Amino acid sequence: MDSEGSQDTGEGDGGEEDKNGVPEQEQATDTLEQSLGQEQADGADTSCDPSHGVIEEFTDVKHESEFSLETNFMEEESRDCNADKRDSDSSQASSEDPFKQHMDKELEEKEVEKLSTLPKTSSQSKWPRLGQLTFSSTLETHKTLKAEKEVDVKQLYLHKPLESTWPKVNKQFLSSVNKPSDPSFTPLQRELFCIMNTYWDLFYPERSALTNGEEIRHAYCLHALNHVLKANAQVLSNNAKRRDQKPGTDRDDYRDQGLTRPKVLMIVPFRECALRIVHIFISLLEVNDKRKIDVSNKKRFKGEFGSDPEEKPPNLKRPEDYEAVFAGNIDDHFRIGVAILQKSMRLYAPFYSSDIIIASPLGMRTIIGAEGEKKRDFDFLSSIEILIIDQADIYLMQNWEHVLHLMKHINLLPLDSHGVDFSRVRMLNLNNWSKYYRQTLLFSALQDPQINSVFNKHCFNYVGQVAVRNVPLSGSISHVMVQLPHVFRRLEAENLTSVIDTRFQFFIDKVLPEYRDAIMSHTLIYVPSYFDYVRLRNYFKKEQLNFTHICEYTKKAGVCRARRFFLKGEKQFLLFTERFHFYKRYTIKGIRNLIFYELPTYSHFYSEICNMMAATDSSVDATWTCTVLYSKYDAQKLAAVVGIDRTAQMLQSKKNVHLFVTGENE
């Protein structure tokens, strides 16, 4: 199953462009490969054949006992005269541990009923670094969280060895101006981790691959690993207590597990992202050079998730944000289980023996399957306690349906017992209340109604939700560097579902007739939705208009031909999809008239497309035009393009809005 709009490296190239569309890999990969080191002899590391991987996703009888939580115990540490005192101290501290507080909270039936029926109440708060936050909760007992100005690592209840390894691993992001009292977090990480560590759901829509992406990745990796280590330590400790317990005594005190073992699900767009996450995990678990963590299947992992330096294309001019997003191995169909047990980590662990699953939406979709399919499984998602969806905006360019499909199959009661010891399963899992305890962390580069919908409709955490809601004061229109009149044409739709048809009718009745004259040649029509593109293409064919078209599925030769016809004026119109621009970022030459059929998903694409007009040597600047279609349902996208003040004015006015803005006079 291909992901819709997924990058096909053999398509879409034009003329002088690269052969495979894969950008140059960042130097960081060398460090990642060094960290993975040389592969140790491991009988399980047999084949890279995909069919072999599918088998391993669920069964691995040979290594089952080695990585089983139930058959292992806490390692005995050397004890001294202060051991008993330490035990009592740790017992007292554990009661204040956010992990214990969150997982040990026993919801009552009436509270669960409230969570599933009552609307959330919300409040606003402003934090120094994150800005405007909206806190939403159904249970009144939870108050707005306050930002910690300083954080002592020792007060975060990090599991050993994270307390000592985190400052070293995170050192690359810290500046010399960092406060001595807070030497281990950047201001952004401090506020994000404050929310993560107290188990609120979080939506952060200002993640940038260029600036703060790696900072954020390190913060959520710390939180995920901290959660898993604590959960596993609890099980291993209870194993020893059960072993030493006299026969016949009550064993109901040791409910410390879910119905299946996987606790953390991390959704990322490309294999390179999974590679970096595993690298961070290894760095956080290695206390020093003498205490190296034993990582199995490293060689296979490096082969399947790394990228070959020989495949680097020649240096091409691409925007910096493109280079950052598409660094390394950009395959978008993968999934891998990771088991963590004391001083060892197993990559490619069977899902039912994994603590963490790292996957792409497409990787999850092909294993969850559809109703009626024989080979499908989603029981391993039954007891997920932390769901991390990173770079959510990219899935809008792949196939958003895969994300929705995943959300419908997470935290459901498993169809099979999978050998679980029901005497160890938490009551919250047996009651089918897992979704009320699941923490969801959602990171995106932008605000989008579809992403908002997942956060609002599929997150049920009893603690509540926190969303960053900063409004753009100036939009991307201020980065348009060509002298260009912008005409924003408002269309009136009765409701959200009717917008698609209304826009199409408005375009063919009101806008297109103005451009059919031969004098309005070189008109590029930018279309964000593939379905709108197909509809327009079919209409243009039926009307026998002089046009060409480029989408994410257009073959290399077709792209070259379309670009050439458009530049020379042999074709009056060029239909152009947003996904093609996202995956290729070619400069289209010859544009004199621009029509944004809908506002772009990424606001910076607006100025990027407008600035393409300067790519053609021409003295006809005065004839350049730009027309944008919008409705009242496009408020978020409109604000990102023209700024919040202009948006308010434009939504109140029923008239077309004419703007003449360049970066020089903004």
Side-chain angles (χ1 to χ4, degrees):
M1 182 184 302
D2 291 322
S3 96
E4 180 188 313
S6 168
Q7 182 169 13
D8 183 338
T9 55
E11 291 182 4
D13 299 346
E16 73 285 5
E17 304 289 353
D18 57 301
K19 293 182 181 177
N20 58 13
V22 180
E24 191 169 339
Q25 186 182 2
E26 291 185 350
Q27 295 176 350
T29 309
D30 297 336
T31 319
L32 305 189
E33 291 177 352
Q34 287 169 13
S35 78
L36 291 171
Q38 294 182 343
E39 173 64 9
Q40 298 176 349
D42 188 332
D45 189 19
T46 51
S47 168
C48 293
D49 178 35
S51 62
H52 174 79
V54 171
I55 295 167
E56 274 208 350
E57 279 170 354
F58 298 108
T59 55
D60 180 16
V61 179
K62 183 177 177 182
H63 296 83
E64 204 69 49
S65 61
E66 183 186 340
F67 278 88
S68 167
L69 282 177
E70 288 73 17
T71 56
N72 281 273
F73 303 94
M74 260 308 201
E75 287 187 355
E76 292 292 329
E77 301 288 343
S78 55
R79 299 180 68 86
D80 55 30
C81 57
N82 293 321
D84 293 334
K85 181 179 182 297
R86 278 207 314 272
D87 286 348
S88 63
D89 287 348
S90 67
S91 169
Q92 185 178 351
S94 68
S95 64
E96 298 170 11
D97 184 344
F99 166 80
K100 291 283 288 177
Q101 288 182 347
H102 181 65
M103 298 307 297
D104 290 351
K105 159 86 174 172
E106 292 185 14
L107 289 175
E108 298 176 10
E109 290 271 4
K110 60 181 182 182
E111 289 179 307
V112 172
E113 195 175 324
K114 279 184 182 179
L115 286 166
S116 55
T117 57
L118 293 180
K120 299 184 182 83
T121 55
S122 59
S123 59
Q124 308 293 322
S125 180
K126 190 158 188 178
W127 284 22
R129 178 62 181 80
L130 291 178
Q132 198 66 40
L133 302 185
T134 300
F135 288 81
S136 307
S137 178
T138 305
L139 304 180
E140 305 88 341
T141 50
H142 292 282
K143 296 177 183 176
T144 303
L145 197 62
K146 289 186 180 178
E148 296 286 348
K149 291 183 179 176
E150 296 177 1
V151 173
D152 182 356
V153 177
K154 292 178 182 176
Q155 295 174 347
L156 293 175
Y157 301 95
L158 293 180
H159 192 273
K160 292 181 180 179
L162 303 180
E163 210 172 272
S164 58
T165 58
W166 169 253
K168 297 176 200 168
V169 173
N170 201 50
K171 192 175 181 181
Q172 59 184 304
F173 303 111
L174 303 174
S175 66
S176 54
V177 297
N178 239 42
K179 297 177 182 176
S181 56
D182 182 17
S184 50
F185 287 87
T186 65
L188 174 63
Q189 287 175 329
R190 181 172 62 246
E191 294 185 13
L192 287 175
F193 196 78
C194 177
I195 295 167
M196 292 182 204
N197 201 38
T198 43
Y199 286 89
W200 286 77
D201 287 345
L202 170 65
F203 175 34
Y204 181 72
E206 296 175 15
R207 182 203 190 279
S208 163
L210 257 182
T211 54
N212 59 19
E214 288 305 310
E215 257 184 272
I216 292 167
R217 199 194 315 271
H218 276 68
Y220 72 62
C221 282
L222 172 67
H223 177 57
L225 199 55
N226 189 38
H227 180 88
V228 166
L229 289 172
K230 286 178 182 179
N232 286 358
Q234 189 179 34
V235 173
L236 298 174
S237 174
N238 285 342
N239 287 348
K241 291 176 185 175
R242 279 168 61 98
R243 179 187 59 184
D244 299 338
Q245 204 174 34
K246 293 177 183 177
T249 52
D250 183 23
R251 291 190 161 200
D252 206 39
D253 294 339
Y254 303 119
R255 294 196 176 272
D256 50 18
Q257 301 174 29
L259 287 160
T260 51
R261 178 167 165 181
K263 306 165 190 64
V264 177
L265 175 62
M266 307 176 92
I267 300 297
V268 291
F270 306 119
R271 285 180 184 257
E272 170 72 9
C273 308
L275 183 79
R276 294 186 184 199
I277 286 169
V278 169
H279 165 65
I280 295 168
F281 285 163
I282 294 171
S283 303
L284 286 171
L285 289 168
E286 289 187 340
V287 179
N288 51 50
D289 292 337
K290 293 179 182 177
R291 285 185 63 183
K292 290 283 184 187
I293 182 172
D294 178 25
V295 183
S296 57
N297 290 335
K298 286 183 290 188
K299 186 177 180 182
R300 176 182 169 192
F301 180 70
K302 182 179 171 183
E304 292 184 6
F305 285 79
S307 56
D308 188 352
E310 299 289 321
E311 293 179 2
K312 287 182 182 179
N315 291 328
L316 297 166
K317 287 185 179 179
R318 289 284 195 277
E320 286 182 321
D321 65 295
Y322 178 93
E323 297 285 3
V325 168
F326 291 105
N329 188 333
I330 55 169
D331 178 65
D332 67 350
H333 188 185
F334 62 91
R335 51 186 175 260
I336 181 170
V338 181
I340 295 167
L341 199 64
Q342 299 187 77
K343 294 175 185 174
S344 57
M345 179 193 289
R346 175 163 169 72
L347 303 172
Y348 297 97
F351 277 6
Y352 290 100
S353 300
S354 297
D355 297 299
I356 300 170
I357 294 170
I358 309 170
S360 65
L362 178 59
M364 280 286 98
R365 179 67 179 80
T366 51
I367 207 166
I368 292 171
E371 201 168 335
E373 289 180 11
K374 285 184 179 178
K375 289 186 178 179
R376 62 183 309 223
D377 194 337
F378 46 86
D379 283 2
F380 58 87
L381 297 172
S382 65
S383 300
I384 295 295
E385 293 158 7
I386 297 178
L387 169 64
I388 299 169
I389 302 178
D390 196 9
Q391 294 175 273
D393 52 286
I394 293 179
Y395 313 135
L396 296 171
M397 299 292 129
Q398 292 177 346
N399 192 333
W400 189 250
E401 287 299 318
H402 297 337
V403 177
L404 298 178
H405 196 70
L406 167 66
M407 299 308 292
K408 289 172 187 170
H409 289 84
I410 197 167
N411 294 128
L412 301 178
L413 281 174
L415 303 173
D416 190 13
S417 66
H418 301 283
V420 68
D421 178 356
F422 284 100
S423 70
R424 299 285 294 271
V425 178
R426 295 187 188 96
M427 292 309 297
L428 71 94
N429 299 100
L430 294 175
N431 289 336
N432 196 21
W433 292 350
S434 301
K435 68 178 181 181
Y436 299 115
Y437 287 79
R438 185 190 79 232
Q439 180 186 35
T440 304
L441 305 176
L442 189 54
F443 301 98
S444 167
L446 49 86
Q447 299 264 11
D448 184 89
Q450 294 179 89
I451 300 174
N452 286 337
S453 177
V454 162
F455 191 67
N456 295 331
K457 294 180 181 177
H458 294 276
C459 298
F460 308 95
N461 187 351
Y462 76 83
V463 180
Q465 281 78 38
V466 186
V468 176
R469 300 290 187 201
N470 294 317
V471 292
L473 297 177
S474 67
S476 64
I477 198 170
S478 63
H479 298 121
V480 175
M481 304 310 293
V482 294
Q483 299 289 326
L484 180 66
H486 306 259
V487 180
F488 288 81
R489 303 187 65 166
R490 177 166 173 162
L491 52 101
E492 299 297 336
E494 291 180 10
N495 51 54
L496 192 56
T497 52
S498 68
V499 169
I500 296 170
D501 291 332
T502 305
R503 180 181 286 112
F504 177 73
Q505 212 56 48
F506 183 87
F507 176 78
I508 62 173
D509 291 343
K510 303 282 180 69
V511 180
L512 192 56
E514 297 173 9
Y515 287 84
R516 294 183 96 156
D517 195 300
I519 200 170
M520 301 297 282
S521 63
H522 296 273
T523 298
L524 183 139
I525 304 170
Y526 182 92
V527 192
S529 162
Y530 180 76
F531 301 106
D532 286 338
Y533 161 81
V534 171
R535 191 176 188 179
L536 287 172
R537 186 190 64 194
N538 293 343
Y539 178 81
F540 275 44
K541 281 181 179 177
K542 191 180 87 173
E543 293 292 308
Q544 297 183 331
L545 294 176
N546 182 25
F547 82 105
T548 185
H549 50 91
I550 298 175
C551 74
E552 56 270 29
Y553 303 115
T554 309
K555 300 293 182 185
K556 183 193 295 187
V559 174
C560 288
R561 196 162 51 246
R563 293 172 74 186
R564 188 172 64 251
F565 285 161
F566 184 68
L567 174 61
K568 292 184 176 180
E570 293 174 26
K571 297 291 182 183
Q572 183 178 351
F573 297 98
L574 170 60
L575 291 178
F576 185 79
T577 66
E578 182 170 74
R579 284 180 181 174
F580 177 82
H581 185 63
F582 175 79
Y583 281 109
K584 296 297 181 182
R585 301 290 274 278
Y586 291 172
T587 296
I588 303 298
K589 295 180 180 178
I591 306 171
R592 291 181 195 165
N593 303 291
L594 249 181
I595 300 174
F596 285 92
Y597 185 78
E598 185 183 352
L599 285 156
T601 305
Y602 290 90
S603 61
H604 64 279
F605 283 2
Y606 184 87
S607 53
E608 213 167 273
I609 298 290
C610 288
N611 288 332
M612 283 183 189
M613 289 179 157
T616 312
D617 294 327
S618 174
S619 58
V620 292
D621 298 23
T623 63
W624 285 351
T625 69
C626 177
T627 300
V628 186
L629 276 59
Y630 76 99
S631 75
K632 64 181 180 182
Y633 300 107
D634 296 322
Q636 281 183 339
K637 290 180 179 179
L638 192 60
V641 169
V642 301
I644 191 65
D645 292 337
R646 280 202 187 101
T647 298
Q649 295 167 8
M650 290 165 71
L651 292 178
Q652 287 171 6
S653 170
K654 300 282 182 183
K655 298 177 182 177
N656 293 335
V657 178
H658 296 253
L659 298 176
F660 194 81
V661 183
T662 71
E664 295 166 5
N665 61 22
E666 179 68 352

